[in-house]
Amino acid sequence: MSEHVVVTRADGLLTLRINRPEKKNALTRAMYSAMAEALLAADAEPEVRAVLITGGAECFTSGNDVADFLQAPPVSQDSPVFHFMRALFELKKPIVAAVAGAAVGIGTTLLLHCDLVYVSRCAKLKMPFVSLGLCPEFGSSLILPRLLGHAKAAELLLLGEAFTGEQAASWGIANGVLDDGLATLEKAAAMARRFQQLAPSAVAVSKQLMQAPGREELRQVITAEGELFGQRLRSPEAIEALSAFMQRRQPDFSKFL
Ligand code: COA
């Protein structure tokens, strides 16, 4: 349970709404745990035909809570963020995301594990892991170079370049671009509700078939990234970068060899 994650069930949909606007929907350990619990429940409830993930009409999520990264870094693969991402990765039912505003860090990474993604035109997606002294996570170092080619993936993962909703759609990260956050939410919900009319086992088997090639390799990469990410979270580089964010200053990496 977390006051910052609103879970609702209606029309065959389980909706997870990230709701911490004062921190741009930054994700805490309690929020990951609440989302993991809801996802596990979704697979167990026959009346749920699809899952919708949203941060509302203004902001998807600014990523992992930076204070949590400093105070309670997820260095074990038993941490709440791993429970959440494992539940997302293993979910048998279709997952639809509605992305408005910022989708930073894990906010972009998690989209790579959704089935359908709708974004607002002014959405700003970004994976600033290297800028934070960290490294890619949850399969993005495998998925993005395959999807985009090494050169484009290097801009996104090494330089941490931001990209728009339009770009996300043109690169195959998103299905469609809508004019604003509300339209994005409505479109994503409408698409997710379509699963209510479909045969649930046929959907589940088809999703499984689409995921099967390369699945084991992806699992191994996720584990390897997780170990490195945990090590990096304790590194002086990451501590400098994360402290700089909290202190609203630029990080100084000049002292690192
Ligand atoms: N963790 C903790 N707090 C966060 C946060 C995060 N990931 N993202 C934003 N916040 C907090 C800010 O510290 C600020 O708190 P305050 O009002 O108590 O000072 C509040 O949310 C508003 O953020 P602010 O940066 O002022 O809003 P903005 O509209 O100028 O920018 C973002 C929004 C999302 C672009 C910017 O906050 C950002 O880039 N955050 C991303 C942090 C990050 O690197 N996340 C990735 C972790 S891998």
Side-chain angles (χ1 to χ4, degrees):
M1 283 271 293
S2 165
E3 57 177 320
H4 296 127
V5 175
V6 181
V7 182
T8 51
R9 292 164 171 83
D11 306 328
L13 267 190
L14 184 141
T15 301
L16 278 181
R17 185 160 66 86
I18 307 165
N19 185 35
R20 198 186 172 209
E22 70 283 6
K23 293 288 180 189
K24 302 287 171 184
N25 287 344
L27 296 166
T28 60
R29 292 155 53 84
M31 292 163 76
Y32 287 127
S33 294
M35 293 195 294
E37 194 184 311
L39 290 177
L40 294 175
D43 248 350
E45 293 173 18
E47 57 283 6
V48 172
R49 298 301 178 90
V51 169
L52 176 64
I53 303 182
T54 174
E58 303 291 331
C59 178
F60 189 59
T61 169
S62 59
N64 202 100
D65 187 283
V66 173
D68 261 14
F69 262 167
L70 281 165
Q71 286 150 22
V75 290
S76 144
Q77 306 224 356
D78 201 29
S79 305
V81 62
F82 285 95
H83 288 182
F84 164 62
M85 285 304 284
R86 215 171 289 130
L88 190 80
F89 183 73
E90 300 294 351
L91 200 82
K92 295 186 181 69
K93 292 178 182 173
I95 310 163
V96 183
V99 180
V104 187
I106 198 164
T108 293
T109 305
L110 75 83
L111 303 178
L112 306 175
H113 299 284
C114 293
D115 298 291
L116 301 173
V117 176
Y118 296 91
V119 284
S120 70
R121 201 169 299 286
C122 61
K124 195 170 167 194
L125 300 94
K126 199 175 175 188
M127 291 168 287
F129 300 113
V130 171
S131 318
L132 291 169
L134 301 170
C135 66
E137 53 168 9
F138 297 111
S140 55
S141 66
L142 180 70
I143 298 169
L144 284 173
R146 287 201 177 158
L147 188 65
L148 308 175
H150 180 85
K152 177 52 71 183
E155 283 181 353
L156 306 188
L157 288 176
L158 300 185
L159 295 178
E161 284 208 349
F163 55 104
T164 63
E166 299 263 16
Q167 286 170 308
S170 72
W171 297 336
I173 293 171
N175 294 75
V177 188
L178 286 299
D179 281 338
D180 58 47
L182 207 54
T184 306
L185 198 45
E186 281 167 5
K187 173 73 177 178
M191 297 305 279
R193 277 196 294 270
R194 282 175 56 174
F195 288 103
Q196 212 184 359
Q197 314 302 327
L198 295 170
S201 299
V203 171
V205 163
S206 302
K207 174 168 171 163
Q208 194 184 3
L209 283 168
M210 288 167 70
Q211 290 178 321
R215 190 90 170 143
E216 224 16 75
E217 184 186 14
L218 184 53
R219 273 204 186 89
Q220 284 169 18
V221 169
I222 289 173
T223 303
E225 288 170 333
E227 274 171 27
L228 283 171
F229 199 96
Q231 288 170 23
R232 295 231 45 90
L233 272 168
R234 289 182 164 136
S235 70
E237 291 178 357
I239 290 166
E240 163 60 15
L242 296 167
S243 307
F245 175 82
M246 297 304 287
Q247 294 158 11
R248 292 190 175 264
R249 63 170 173 82
Q250 288 301 312
D252 175 8
F253 297 122
S254 64
K255 53 183 177 265
F256 300 114
L257 294 174

